[in-house]
Amino acid sequence: MPPPSSVGGSAYLTALASEIDKKLQRALSSSAQRGTLLQELFADVALEVDERSKDIIFGEEGSIYAEGDVYEEHVCFYNVLSDHFVSMPQNGRTILDLIVQLWSQAFASNIFALLFHKWIFEVELDNPVILLRYCAALVQGARNVFWIDTQTNSSRFQSLYKYLLEEVALCSERLNKLPLQAQRDLFLLLSRFIFFYNSEENLEVFLKQFPDFPNAFLIGSASDIFVTEIADQLQKLKIEPVLLHYLSRIKVLRGIELRMTTSTRLKTCLYSFTSPGGPMYPTRAVRHAAWDALDFLFPVGKYPRFIISLFFRLLYPWYWPSSCWNFFVSCVKSVYYSGWEIIGRIKEL
């Protein structure tokens, strides 16, 4: 991200830091309004930077839109403030102390993760207990905001994910600053959202960087741990577009060597989305996407699975009318588009 292009930009960020400090002090002194004030502060730092603020922070030339900028879609206030606290750490010291005093509050870890996710890796912390506490808050806050993105099907916090993945998890220098337990927690978190934030191109390197787990002889290799996290994440998703996105991206797992137990777990997870009704209650689009992913990842047994599924569908006659209607509509669409394709070819001749 380009640095502020003028003294005015730096002064503006300093003023923003001062306002954050004041709101945190108000939250600390007022137990009745503490939750509301922290929620408002979280919403403020997660806001997208407006055009007027961009002109002040980055200058009128609009360098924020330069090609190759790390923020492809959104530039939020937490983006610029996290860089500001790295370049001018004295402006964030009081804010950090106040957040520490508010650890037990719902939005404290979210605010900490947004504002200080870069600061943790750029400063030297001699106390390992404090470092472990900061890392735990970072992982917890990041998990919370990533879930906000999945629940709203947005990418407001994608830059935070990209930084933790590309600049921390895939960078040994920064990764080694974290305690081993913090490394494990971070990799488990990043595993769950790697498909959501379209970062599967880094999957091979990501799996190689996986830290050692004490129970690896029971749960398997990095690939097994990763797939286990993905399967668990799929079962927690309730938003149809997000679930469809995961099911379309999960096909990159084809060819990855897995233990039999892990492979069975993934297969069972996908199969649970192929039938209407409980416990997942998938929509028709999700069922078809799950069948496509299941057949692509596990081509062996494709036809027996279809026959078993058809048999169980016969046990639920109240689904027959909708199934027949959807089958009829699909056939009509297929014939219609095939006819237009044939007509187009004839015209070309």
Side-chain angles (χ1 to χ4, degrees):
M1 173 182 164
S5 60
S6 65
V7 177
S10 181
Y12 182 78
L13 293 176
T14 302
L16 287 179
S18 178
E19 291 300 318
I20 294 173
D21 185 289
K22 292 177 182 178
K23 181 160 282 191
L24 287 172
Q25 289 181 2
R26 287 172 55 198
L28 191 62
S29 61
S30 175
S31 58
Q33 296 183 330
R34 188 169 297 162
T36 302
L37 289 171
L38 289 176
Q39 185 175 2
E40 291 176 355
L41 179 57
F42 169 70
D44 290 341
V45 298
L47 278 177
E48 189 171 353
V49 180
D50 56 89
E51 295 299 325
R52 174 179 171 275
S53 298
K54 286 178 181 178
D55 291 339
I56 297 174
I57 297 172
F58 302 107
E60 296 182 357
E61 296 181 359
S63 59
I64 191 65
Y65 303 110
E67 185 177 359
D69 186 11
V70 67
Y71 306 122
E72 298 175 357
E73 295 185 9
H74 303 289
V75 182
C76 301
F77 281 103
Y78 77 85
N79 297 132
V80 293
L81 285 168
S82 61
D83 285 325
H84 178 68
F85 292 145
V86 170
S87 59
M88 302 184 69
Q90 68 276 11
N91 289 345
R93 191 168 294 117
T94 305
I95 294 175
L96 182 60
D97 293 338
L98 291 170
I99 292 177
V100 170
Q101 296 179 62
L102 295 166
W103 270 149
S104 60
Q105 300 303 310
F107 289 92
S109 60
N110 300 17
I111 298 169
F112 174 81
L114 293 181
L115 297 180
F116 294 100
H117 62 275
K118 295 182 179 179
W119 175 86
I120 291 180
F121 302 100
E122 301 299 333
V123 300
E124 293 295 334
L125 296 173
D126 298 328
N127 192 327
V129 177
I130 294 178
L131 176 60
L132 185 59
R133 182 186 302 174
Y134 286 166
C135 293
L138 172 64
V139 172
Q140 180 61 47
R143 179 183 293 110
N144 292 341
V145 299
F146 294 158
W147 269 111
I148 291 174
D149 265 357
T150 59
Q151 295 299 320
T152 57
N153 192 23
S154 61
S155 57
R156 184 168 298 274
F157 304 108
Q158 183 172 9
S159 59
L160 172 60
Y161 182 87
K162 292 286 188 179
Y163 178 82
L164 293 177
L165 175 65
E166 299 174 1
E167 303 297 330
V168 179
L170 303 184
C171 178
S172 300
E173 182 180 355
R174 290 193 178 96
L175 182 63
N176 292 334
K177 288 186 176 182
L178 300 179
L180 185 56
Q181 183 57 47
Q183 293 182 28
R184 294 167 181 160
D185 294 340
L186 177 64
F187 271 76
L188 292 179
L189 172 65
L190 296 176
S191 297
R192 288 176 173 264
F193 296 93
I194 194 168
F195 291 148
F196 178 74
Y197 289 112
N198 304 322
S199 299
E200 59 273 9
E201 70 275 2
N202 297 311
L203 182 57
E204 183 177 354
V205 182
F206 177 72
L207 293 177
K208 291 180 180 179
Q209 288 284 95
F210 240 81
D212 295 328
F213 281 74
N215 56 344
F217 68 97
L218 293 175
I219 60 178
S221 63
S223 300
D224 293 288
I225 298 172
F226 174 81
V227 171
T228 299
E229 292 297 309
I230 289 294
D232 187 63
Q233 178 77 347
L234 280 172
Q235 293 178 322
K236 292 180 178 180
L237 294 173
K238 304 299 181 183
I239 308 301
E240 183 187 34
V242 176
L243 190 52
L244 290 173
H245 183 75
Y246 267 81
L247 291 173
S248 65
R249 299 283 178 172
I250 204 173
K251 295 178 181 180
V252 301
L253 297 179
R254 183 172 183 174
I256 293 182
E257 185 176 352
L258 300 172
R259 284 188 174 187
M260 181 63 69
T261 53
T262 308
S263 178
T264 302
R265 181 169 184 170
L266 177 60
K267 192 184 302 183
T268 303
C269 172
L270 292 174
Y271 193 76
S272 66
F273 289 102
T274 61
S275 300
M280 306 310 297
Y281 296 96
T283 62
R284 178 177 174 81
V286 170
R287 295 199 301 270
H288 281 266
W291 272 120
D292 291 341
L294 188 62
D295 292 341
F296 184 83
L297 293 175
F298 305 100
V300 178
K302 174 180 178 180
Y303 295 107
R305 284 197 301 268
F306 175 77
I307 295 174
I308 293 173
S309 175
L310 181 62
F311 172 76
F312 279 103
R313 289 296 295 272
L314 294 176
L315 299 178
Y316 300 93
W318 49 87
Y319 288 119
W320 295 357
S322 62
S323 297
C324 293
W325 172 253
N326 288 321
F327 177 74
F328 173 75
V329 171
S330 299
C331 291
V332 170
K333 287 182 178 180
S334 178
V335 171
Y336 177 79
Y337 290 122
S338 299
W340 276 108
E341 184 178 354
I342 293 173
I343 293 174
R345 290 180 180 177
I346 294 175
K347 290 182 177 179
E348 290 178 357
L349 297 176

PDB file of all heavy atoms in Angstrom, residues 202-217:
ATOM      1  N   ASN A 202      -2.219 -20.683  -3.812  1.00  0.00           N
ATOM      2  CA  ASN A 202      -1.133 -20.809  -2.836  1.00  0.00           C
ATOM      3  C   ASN A 202      -1.209 -22.107  -2.034  1.00  0.00           C
ATOM      4  O   ASN A 202      -0.442 -22.277  -1.080  1.00  0.00           O
ATOM      5  CB  ASN A 202      -1.161 -19.623  -1.861  1.00  0.00           C
ATOM      6  CG  ASN A 202      -0.912 -18.293  -2.547  1.00  0.00           C
ATOM      7  OD1 ASN A 202       0.023 -18.146  -3.312  1.00  0.00           O
ATOM      8  ND2 ASN A 202      -1.769 -17.311  -2.283  1.00  0.00           N
ATOM      9  N   LEU A 203      -2.117 -22.998  -2.395  1.00  0.00           N
ATOM     10  CA  LEU A 203      -2.382 -24.175  -1.575  1.00  0.00           C
ATOM     11  C   LEU A 203      -1.157 -25.072  -1.428  1.00  0.00           C
ATOM     12  O   LEU A 203      -0.845 -25.539  -0.318  1.00  0.00           O
ATOM     13  CB  LEU A 203      -3.551 -24.965  -2.165  1.00  0.00           C
ATOM     14  CG  LEU A 203      -3.985 -26.209  -1.386  1.00  0.00           C
ATOM     15  CD1 LEU A 203      -4.347 -25.845   0.038  1.00  0.00           C
ATOM     16  CD2 LEU A 203      -5.150 -26.892  -2.092  1.00  0.00           C
ATOM     17  N   GLU A 204      -0.443 -25.321  -2.519  1.00  0.00           N
ATOM     18  CA  GLU A 204       0.700 -26.229  -2.461  1.00  0.00           C
ATOM     19  C   GLU A 204       1.773 -25.704  -1.510  1.00  0.00           C
ATOM     20  O   GLU A 204       2.288 -26.449  -0.659  1.00  0.00           O
ATOM     21  CB  GLU A 204       1.280 -26.422  -3.865  1.00  0.00           C
ATOM     22  CG  GLU A 204       2.423 -27.416  -3.916  1.00  0.00           C
ATOM     23  CD  GLU A 204       2.930 -27.641  -5.329  1.00  0.00           C
ATOM     24  OE1 GLU A 204       2.314 -27.106  -6.279  1.00  0.00           O
ATOM     25  OE2 GLU A 204       3.942 -28.353  -5.490  1.00  0.00           O
ATOM     26  N   VAL A 205       2.120 -24.427  -1.638  1.00  0.00           N
ATOM     27  CA  VAL A 205       3.122 -23.837  -0.755  1.00  0.00           C
ATOM     28  C   VAL A 205       2.594 -23.762   0.669  1.00  0.00           C
ATOM     29  O   VAL A 205       3.335 -23.981   1.635  1.00  0.00           O
ATOM     30  CB  VAL A 205       3.511 -22.434  -1.256  1.00  0.00           C
ATOM     31  CG1 VAL A 205       4.588 -21.822  -0.366  1.00  0.00           C
ATOM     32  CG2 VAL A 205       3.987 -22.494  -2.700  1.00  0.00           C
ATOM     33  N   PHE A 206       1.323 -23.454   0.805  1.00  0.00           N
ATOM     34  CA  PHE A 206       0.702 -23.350   2.128  1.00  0.00           C
ATOM     35  C   PHE A 206       0.806 -24.667   2.886  1.00  0.00           C
ATOM     36  O   PHE A 206       1.143 -24.689   4.086  1.00  0.00           O
ATOM     37  CB  PHE A 206      -0.757 -22.936   1.955  1.00  0.00           C
ATOM     38  CG  PHE A 206      -1.539 -22.856   3.227  1.00  0.00           C
ATOM     39  CD1 PHE A 206      -1.325 -21.830   4.138  1.00  0.00           C
ATOM     40  CD2 PHE A 206      -2.515 -23.812   3.520  1.00  0.00           C
ATOM     41  CE1 PHE A 206      -2.060 -21.750   5.317  1.00  0.00           C
ATOM     42  CE2 PHE A 206      -3.253 -23.730   4.688  1.00  0.00           C
ATOM     43  CZ  PHE A 206      -3.020 -22.703   5.586  1.00  0.00           C
ATOM     44  N   LEU A 207       0.551 -25.780   2.220  1.00  0.00           N
ATOM     45  CA  LEU A 207       0.625 -27.087   2.874  1.00  0.00           C
ATOM     46  C   LEU A 207       2.063 -27.439   3.272  1.00  0.00           C
ATOM     47  O   LEU A 207       2.284 -28.086   4.299  1.00  0.00           O
ATOM     48  CB  LEU A 207       0.050 -28.162   1.955  1.00  0.00           C
ATOM     49  CG  LEU A 207      -1.456 -28.078   1.681  1.00  0.00           C
ATOM     50  CD1 LEU A 207      -1.885 -29.154   0.702  1.00  0.00           C
ATOM     51  CD2 LEU A 207      -2.258 -28.177   2.966  1.00  0.00           C
ATOM     52  N   LYS A 208       3.017 -26.986   2.489  1.00  0.00           N
ATOM     53  CA  LYS A 208       4.423 -27.243   2.828  1.00  0.00           C
ATOM     54  C   LYS A 208       4.872 -26.465   4.053  1.00  0.00           C
ATOM     55  O   LYS A 208       5.799 -26.873   4.759  1.00  0.00           O
ATOM     56  CB  LYS A 208       5.322 -26.897   1.631  1.00  0.00           C
ATOM     57  CG  LYS A 208       5.165 -27.835   0.441  1.00  0.00           C
ATOM     58  CD  LYS A 208       6.073 -27.429  -0.706  1.00  0.00           C
ATOM     59  CE  LYS A 208       5.917 -28.357  -1.896  1.00  0.00           C
ATOM     60  NZ  LYS A 208       6.777 -27.963  -3.046  1.00  0.00           N
ATOM     61  N   GLN A 209       4.230 -25.323   4.299  1.00  0.00           N
ATOM     62  CA  GLN A 209       4.602 -24.473   5.433  1.00  0.00           C
ATOM     63  C   GLN A 209       3.891 -24.876   6.724  1.00  0.00           C
ATOM     64  O   GLN A 209       4.170 -24.309   7.780  1.00  0.00           O
ATOM     65  CB  GLN A 209       4.242 -23.009   5.121  1.00  0.00           C
ATOM     66  CG  GLN A 209       5.127 -22.341   4.081  1.00  0.00           C
ATOM     67  CD  GLN A 209       6.476 -21.956   4.650  1.00  0.00           C
ATOM     68  OE1 GLN A 209       7.443 -22.708   4.525  1.00  0.00           O
ATOM     69  NE2 GLN A 209       6.548 -20.799   5.274  1.00  0.00           N
ATOM     70  N   PHE A 210       3.014 -25.854   6.652  1.00  0.00           N
ATOM     71  CA  PHE A 210       2.226 -26.237   7.826  1.00  0.00           C
ATOM     72  C   PHE A 210       3.134 -26.601   9.002  1.00  0.00           C
ATOM     73  O   PHE A 210       4.082 -27.366   8.840  1.00  0.00           O
ATOM     74  CB  PHE A 210       1.354 -27.443   7.496  1.00  0.00           C
ATOM     75  CG  PHE A 210      -0.120 -27.178   7.652  1.00  0.00           C
ATOM     76  CD1 PHE A 210      -0.830 -26.526   6.662  1.00  0.00           C
ATOM     77  CD2 PHE A 210      -0.777 -27.586   8.796  1.00  0.00           C
ATOM     78  CE1 PHE A 210      -2.193 -26.294   6.801  1.00  0.00           C
ATOM     79  CE2 PHE A 210      -2.140 -27.353   8.939  1.00  0.00           C
ATOM     80  CZ  PHE A 210      -2.848 -26.703   7.950  1.00  0.00           C
ATOM     81  N   PRO A 211       2.858 -26.059  10.192  1.00  0.00           N
ATOM     82  CA  PRO A 211       3.675 -26.414  11.361  1.00  0.00           C
ATOM     83  C   PRO A 211       3.388 -27.838  11.813  1.00  0.00           C
ATOM     84  O   PRO A 211       2.381 -28.440  11.435  1.00  0.00           O
ATOM     85  CB  PRO A 211       3.225 -25.395  12.422  1.00  0.00           C
ATOM     86  CG  PRO A 211       1.831 -25.031  12.020  1.00  0.00           C
ATOM     87  CD  PRO A 211       1.799 -25.089  10.514  1.00  0.00           C
ATOM     88  N   ASP A 212       4.268 -28.361  12.640  1.00  0.00           N
ATOM     89  CA  ASP A 212       4.089 -29.709  13.160  1.00  0.00           C
ATOM     90  C   ASP A 212       3.000 -29.719  14.233  1.00  0.00           C
ATOM     91  O   ASP A 212       2.900 -28.799  15.051  1.00  0.00           O
ATOM     92  CB  ASP A 212       5.399 -30.226  13.761  1.00  0.00           C
ATOM     93  CG  ASP A 212       6.482 -30.375  12.697  1.00  0.00           C
ATOM     94  OD1 ASP A 212       6.132 -30.686  11.547  1.00  0.00           O
ATOM     95  OD2 ASP A 212       7.672 -30.185  13.028  1.00  0.00           O
ATOM     96  N   PHE A 213       2.209 -30.786  14.220  1.00  0.00           N
ATOM     97  CA  PHE A 213       1.170 -30.975  15.231  1.00  0.00           C
ATOM     98  C   PHE A 213       1.542 -32.169  16.109  1.00  0.00           C
ATOM     99  O   PHE A 213       2.022 -33.189  15.604  1.00  0.00           O
ATOM    100  CB  PHE A 213      -0.184 -31.209  14.576  1.00  0.00           C
ATOM    101  CG  PHE A 213      -0.846 -29.957  14.081  1.00  0.00           C
ATOM    102  CD1 PHE A 213      -0.385 -29.320  12.924  1.00  0.00           C
ATOM    103  CD2 PHE A 213      -1.907 -29.390  14.759  1.00  0.00           C
ATOM    104  CE1 PHE A 213      -0.985 -28.156  12.469  1.00  0.00           C
ATOM    105  CE2 PHE A 213      -2.522 -28.226  14.308  1.00  0.00           C
ATOM    106  CZ  PHE A 213      -2.059 -27.604  13.164  1.00  0.00           C
ATOM    107  N   PRO A 214       1.325 -32.042  17.417  1.00  0.00           N
ATOM    108  CA  PRO A 214       1.761 -33.134  18.314  1.00  0.00           C
ATOM    109  C   PRO A 214       1.029 -34.443  18.068  1.00  0.00           C
ATOM    110  O   PRO A 214       1.560 -35.517  18.354  1.00  0.00           O
ATOM    111  CB  PRO A 214       1.454 -32.570  19.711  1.00  0.00           C
ATOM    112  CG  PRO A 214       0.401 -31.524  19.493  1.00  0.00           C
ATOM    113  CD  PRO A 214       0.702 -30.933  18.152  1.00  0.00           C
ATOM    114  N   ASN A 215      -0.194 -34.395  17.552  1.00  0.00           N
ATOM    115  CA  ASN A 215      -0.978 -35.612  17.305  1.00  0.00           C
ATOM    116  C   ASN A 215      -1.028 -35.956  15.830  1.00  0.00           C
ATOM    117  O   ASN A 215      -2.010 -36.531  15.345  1.00  0.00           O
ATOM    118  CB  ASN A 215      -2.391 -35.448  17.855  1.00  0.00           C
ATOM    119  CG  ASN A 215      -3.094 -34.217  17.288  1.00  0.00           C
ATOM    120  OD1 ASN A 215      -2.453 -33.331  16.718  1.00  0.00           O
ATOM    121  ND2 ASN A 215      -4.407 -34.170  17.425  1.00  0.00           N
ATOM    122  N   ALA A 216       0.029 -35.593  15.094  1.00  0.00           N
ATOM    123  CA  ALA A 216       0.040 -35.818  13.643  1.00  0.00           C
ATOM    124  C   ALA A 216      -0.046 -37.302  13.302  1.00  0.00           C
ATOM    125  O   ALA A 216      -0.602 -37.674  12.262  1.00  0.00           O
ATOM    126  CB  ALA A 216       1.302 -35.211  13.033  1.00  0.00           C
ATOM    127  N   PHE A 217       0.477 -38.167  14.170  1.00  0.00           N
ATOM    128  CA  PHE A 217       0.431 -39.602  13.873  1.00  0.00           C
ATOM    129  C   PHE A 217      -1.001 -40.136  13.931  1.00  0.00           C
ATOM    130  O   PHE A 217      -1.294 -41.212  13.401  1.00  0.00           O
ATOM    131  CB  PHE A 217       1.324 -40.365  14.861  1.00  0.00           C
ATOM    132  CG  PHE A 217       0.827 -40.350  16.277  1.00  0.00           C
ATOM    133  CD1 PHE A 217       0.096 -41.410  16.783  1.00  0.00           C
ATOM    134  CD2 PHE A 217       1.090 -39.274  17.114  1.00  0.00           C
ATOM    135  CE1 PHE A 217      -0.359 -41.397  18.094  1.00  0.00           C
ATOM    136  CE2 PHE A 217       0.651 -39.260  18.418  1.00  0.00           C
ATOM    137  CZ  PHE A 217      -0.091 -40.314  18.914  1.00  0.00           C
TER     138      PHE A 217
END
